[in-house]
Amino acid sequence: MATITLTNVQMRYCNLVKPYEPKVGAPKYTMQFYLEPGSKELKDIEAGLEAAAKDAFGPEYKAKLIKAKNGQGSYSLLPPEKNTDEMADGRVAVKPSAFADRPLPLFDGDGLPTTDASLFYPGAFVNVQLRFNAYQPPYSEAPPQVKLDLVAVRFSKHGEKIQGRRPSITAEDLEALGVKMDVTGDDLI
């Protein structure tokens, strides 16, 4: 499978050190960043996704690619007209992910392996290697999957922190911070 490396992309959302755990499905490492419509990087990604679909689906690739793009499957690009994030500002959201069955390779600015969460946050700039992936899941009536898999992420430089969704906080996280909760768990004390 082909890969692409993008440099100095600014993360909008990220779950790179600790995987995102959806209510349904397997935990995944995820991130999201934006690219300008018509940019070289976006054109390269679109061409790579189309080539992956063509390899995976053969003569039916165009129909399956359209299905995935229209939300009847998985597609890693979210066009501006479907994006409700106020930070998108007319840009295309790129949403690669990787299953959390093994650690995602993360590297600091010197190229050394790291798990330092302070380097990977919304607003940080990173270099990211992505793999083009397209497949038809084996179960009946499954929608086509045309997506970008996270291969590796390297910290590039710090940026202004972008506020995003509130992170989920466990009781252990609060205890480590010395924060106590009331008996109902509704309010921080």
Side-chain angles (χ1 to χ4, degrees):
M1 288 183 213
T3 62
I4 186 171
T5 301
L6 303 176
T7 58
N8 290 317
V9 296
Q10 187 175 29
M11 291 188 291
R12 174 67 177 117
Y13 299 110
C14 65
N15 294 296
L16 298 175
V17 176
K18 182 178 178 184
Y20 169 72
E21 296 190 31
K23 291 180 176 145
V24 177
K28 291 182 180 181
Y29 294 103
T30 62
M31 67 179 291
Q32 180 173 316
F33 56 90
Y34 295 119
L35 293 175
E36 293 295 329
S39 68
K40 179 189 178 324
E41 294 88 354
L42 186 58
K43 287 178 183 177
D44 290 346
I45 288 173
E46 289 171 331
L49 289 170
E50 184 168 339
K54 191 173 186 177
D55 287 348
F57 306 134
E60 299 177 355
Y61 88 93
K62 284 188 179 181
K64 292 196 177 203
L65 187 60
I66 289 169
K67 235 180 148 174
K69 285 182 177 181
N70 289 335
Q72 300 166 344
S74 180
Y75 193 67
S76 292
L77 302 178
L78 183 64
E81 63 273 9
K82 292 185 178 182
N83 196 339
T84 58
D85 184 353
E86 70 280 355
M87 297 291 293
D89 197 26
R91 297 174 291 174
V92 175
V94 182
K95 307 181 307 177
S97 64
F99 285 108
D101 56 347
R102 61 186 170 278
L104 180 67
L106 299 175
F107 300 92
D108 65 16
D110 294 323
L112 300 173
T114 187
T115 57
D116 183 355
S118 71
L119 298 176
F120 304 100
Y121 58 90
F125 289 84
V126 296
N127 300 338
V128 60
Q129 186 177 33
L130 308 169
R131 180 182 303 116
F132 300 108
N133 189 3
Y135 62 95
Q136 183 70 47
Y139 46 91
S140 148
E141 301 299 317
Q145 309 291 304
V146 182
K147 46 190 225 147
L148 292 164
D149 294 332
L150 279 169
V151 176
V153 181
R154 180 177 176 175
F155 172 79
S156 179
K157 63 182 178 180
H158 288 286
E160 183 175 337
K161 187 165 181 159
I162 298 171
Q163 297 301 314
R165 290 182 250 174
R166 212 171 119 195
S168 57
I169 299 175
T170 65
E172 292 81 22
D173 294 329
L174 291 172
E175 187 176 305
L177 293 171
V179 176
K180 296 183 185 213
M181 297 185 78
D182 71 0
V183 287
T184 63
D186 294 331
D187 301 307
L188 296 177
I189 305 174

